[in-house]
Amino acid sequence: MNDNTKLLITSGSGGDGAISGIRKKFIPRGGPDGGDGGEGGSIVIFGNKKLSSLKDVTYIKKVKAQNGFPGSAGNKKGKKGKDKVINLPIGTIIYEVQKEERKKLYEVLKEEKKTILPGGKGGRGNSKMANSVIQYPLLAEKGEDNKEILIELDYLMESDVAIIGKPNSGKSSLLSKLTNAKPQIKNYPYTTTNIETGIIENVKRQHKVIEIPGIEDSNNNLGLKNLKHTERTKVFLFLKSSQEDKTLEIIKKHKKNILKNKPIITIPSYLNLEEKELDFKNEDTEEIKTKVEELLGKSKPNNAPQNEVPEVIVIGEEKEVVEKRGQKFVVNHDQVKRIAERVNLDHWDVMAQFMKILHNKGVSKKLFELEVKPGDIVEIGKIELEWS
């Protein structure tokens, strides 16, 4: 996504005032009639609802408005220079860059025009310079010089709800269930490489939902790079992919205040199948929508006092991956149960692959935490295995 770029912007200089005097047959002692110069063109920002990135300006390095035109005889004022209008998506923040520092100039929050760099004023013609002492001035003002600054454009997507989680945790499936979006859904990680968007609609209003690419603790992670677009988000939906899922801690480590004061709805997804086959029940989806509506309805303005600690709400039963029931160890992971019931574990090579799955899904770790011993019975769906 094109969401950050720099532009050198230059306004137009003002037109020079004119030096002229009346020369007519029947007016032998005519006065000055030099007109004023026109104003220089300005740099104007326009918030455009149809745009969703900075791609239209990313490869433009300089933007210049037109200079004002000089005045002329007959007290004619010079024509104003044309403004240069830059179309930007709603949500763009404009900074003036000065060496290593930047100063915020304007934030595009609605569809309107805003002048961020005015053009130079036009110079006065000699008709404006006359007085009781000098009745025919031979001087006029030059137009005001143009202005030039370097600006940085930083686009932050507008959204009400953001879906976050590790790669392959079910984010795209949830987005497709909650909204009208049709994201690409595959049973392998990193399918989502850009921000996906959708709309939750009800009778009264619409709520924009965005899906952030999978988050992992690495320098080049796309999820972390795109977290900036959740700054204006009011509610987070967190797909928890395991009981040891550290996604929220990773976010706090890299983006300290991004979750601050915002409610987080946690949805345990680690008991489900792979994302391609992940199926959120209709009652769960409706519960999520209802809770989102409730939280958005009572969300506070950005400048209102808020709680330091975000509210965390869990939807869906968060069962243990493995439970000890009497003398047996019962595995609750749906995908692991499904695999165990569909393959022949009597073959050693199949069993070797299955044990690797138990390790990858965190089942083996949990069994060892519960102190499983050789000879103990492990129940996985309809299958019972003797641990060895």
Side-chain angles (χ1 to χ4, degrees):
M1 176 184 287
N2 303 101
D3 57 16
N4 186 276
T5 191
K6 289 180 181 178
L7 278 176
L8 184 66
I9 59 172
T10 309
S11 63
S13 57
D16 296 340
I19 301 172
S20 176
I22 298 174
R23 294 288 186 271
K24 292 186 179 178
K25 184 177 180 180
F26 301 106
I27 311 178
R29 294 174 63 86
D33 69 346
D36 298 341
E39 294 177 358
S42 300
I43 302 296
V44 178
I45 295 299
F46 177 66
N48 192 329
K49 289 181 179 179
K50 295 180 180 179
L51 299 179
S52 58
S53 76
L54 298 176
K55 66 178 182 179
D56 291 346
V57 294
T58 297
Y59 302 105
I60 301 172
K61 298 303 177 187
K62 296 180 181 180
V63 174
K64 188 181 186 309
Q66 190 179 35
N67 293 333
F69 291 82
S72 57
N75 283 313
K76 290 182 179 178
K77 184 175 180 177
K79 186 179 176 183
K80 181 184 182 301
K82 288 184 179 179
D83 295 337
K84 191 67 177 181
V85 179
I86 305 173
N87 283 275
L88 296 175
I90 307 297
T92 304
I93 303 175
I94 302 159
Y95 299 94
E96 179 181 355
V97 179
Q98 297 175 335
K99 295 182 180 179
E100 299 301 317
E101 297 181 355
R102 62 180 193 172
K103 173 187 174 185
K104 186 175 177 179
L105 293 179
Y106 183 62
E107 191 169 358
V108 184
L109 295 177
K110 55 185 177 180
E111 204 165 37
E112 66 174 5
K113 287 186 176 182
K114 173 71 175 180
T115 299
I116 61 166
L117 192 65
K121 295 179 181 179
R124 292 185 298 170
N126 69 336
S127 64
K128 295 279 182 71
M129 310 289 281
N131 55 46
S132 57
V133 178
I134 304 174
Q135 297 183 8
Y136 194 99
L138 297 176
L139 297 174
E141 288 181 340
K142 285 181 62 65
E144 189 177 62
D145 289 339
N146 59 18
K147 302 177 185 67
E148 184 175 85
I149 61 172
L150 179 65
I151 61 171
E152 181 177 348
L153 306 175
D154 196 21
Y155 171 53
L156 300 181
M157 187 176 285
E158 295 283 318
S159 69
D160 299 300
V161 182
I163 301 175
I164 55 175
K166 293 179 73 172
N168 215 39
S169 58
K171 299 183 301 299
S172 296
S173 292
L174 182 58
L175 180 68
S176 67
K177 289 283 187 178
L178 292 176
T179 73
N180 56 355
K182 293 180 172 58
Q184 187 180 18
I185 300 173
K186 300 289 184 182
N187 61 349
Y188 52 81
Y190 311 113
T191 304
T192 303
T193 56
N194 287 307
I195 292 179
E196 299 282 354
T197 64
I199 300 292
I200 293 178
E201 295 190 69
N202 62 26
V203 178
K204 294 183 179 179
R205 60 179 68 85
Q206 295 182 334
H207 301 302
K208 185 174 180 179
V209 184
I210 63 174
E211 175 201 347
I212 302 298
I215 293 170
E216 291 184 310
D217 194 3
S218 62
N219 292 332
N220 296 318
N221 178 250
L222 285 173
L224 291 175
K225 288 181 178 179
N226 282 288
L227 268 178
K228 59 181 274 188
H229 294 289
T230 66
E231 282 190 19
R232 298 190 178 104
T233 292
K234 301 178 181 70
V235 176
F236 283 94
L237 296 181
F238 169 41
L239 272 294
K240 190 173 181 179
S241 63
S242 72
Q243 288 178 318
E244 293 78 29
D245 192 327
K246 302 296 183 184
T247 300
L248 298 183
E249 286 77 2
I250 292 169
I251 291 173
K252 291 172 186 175
K253 173 184 172 183
H254 291 270
K255 298 285 184 181
K256 186 177 179 181
N257 296 318
I258 210 83
L259 299 174
K260 193 175 179 181
N261 302 324
K262 297 174 183 177
I264 302 167
I265 299 176
T266 299
I267 305 144
S269 68
Y270 56 89
L271 299 176
N272 292 306
L273 307 178
E274 294 290 358
E275 183 166 2
K276 188 178 180 182
E277 302 173 7
L278 195 69
D279 186 21
F280 290 96
K281 296 175 183 177
N282 288 334
E283 54 265 33
D284 289 341
T285 306
E286 290 306 314
E287 185 182 356
I288 294 168
K289 284 185 179 180
T290 300
K291 195 63 188 178
V292 166
E293 290 284 350
E294 178 189 328
L295 292 169
L296 290 175
K298 66 179 184 181
S299 63
K300 302 175 184 178
N302 291 334
N303 57 355
Q306 303 197 24
N307 297 323
E308 286 291 313
V309 181
E311 180 182 4
V312 178
I313 302 132
V314 179
I315 288 183
E317 186 181 358
E318 188 172 1
K319 297 183 291 184
E320 291 284 352
V321 174
V322 181
E323 295 177 276
K324 189 172 182 182
R325 297 179 190 169
Q327 299 301 312
K328 285 197 299 189
F329 296 83
V330 180
V331 175
N332 292 319
H333 198 295
D334 285 349
Q335 187 192 6
V336 172
K337 289 193 291 184
R338 177 173 173 271
I339 294 171
E341 291 171 357
R342 291 191 177 186
V343 299
N344 189 347
L345 296 175
D346 292 333
H347 297 291
W348 70 268
D349 53 341
V350 176
M351 177 58 82
Q353 292 180 44
F354 184 68
M355 293 303 291
K356 187 175 182 180
I357 290 171
L358 294 183
H359 173 75
N360 291 339
K361 300 299 179 184
V363 174
S364 296
K365 180 181 178 183
K366 193 64 184 178
L367 283 166
F368 286 123
E369 287 177 0
L370 293 174
E371 299 181 347
V372 67
K373 301 183 296 297
D376 287 340
I377 300 300
V378 178
E379 182 182 296
I380 308 175
K382 298 176 183 178
I383 307 297
E384 286 191 350
L385 297 176
E386 184 177 318
W387 192 258
S388 61

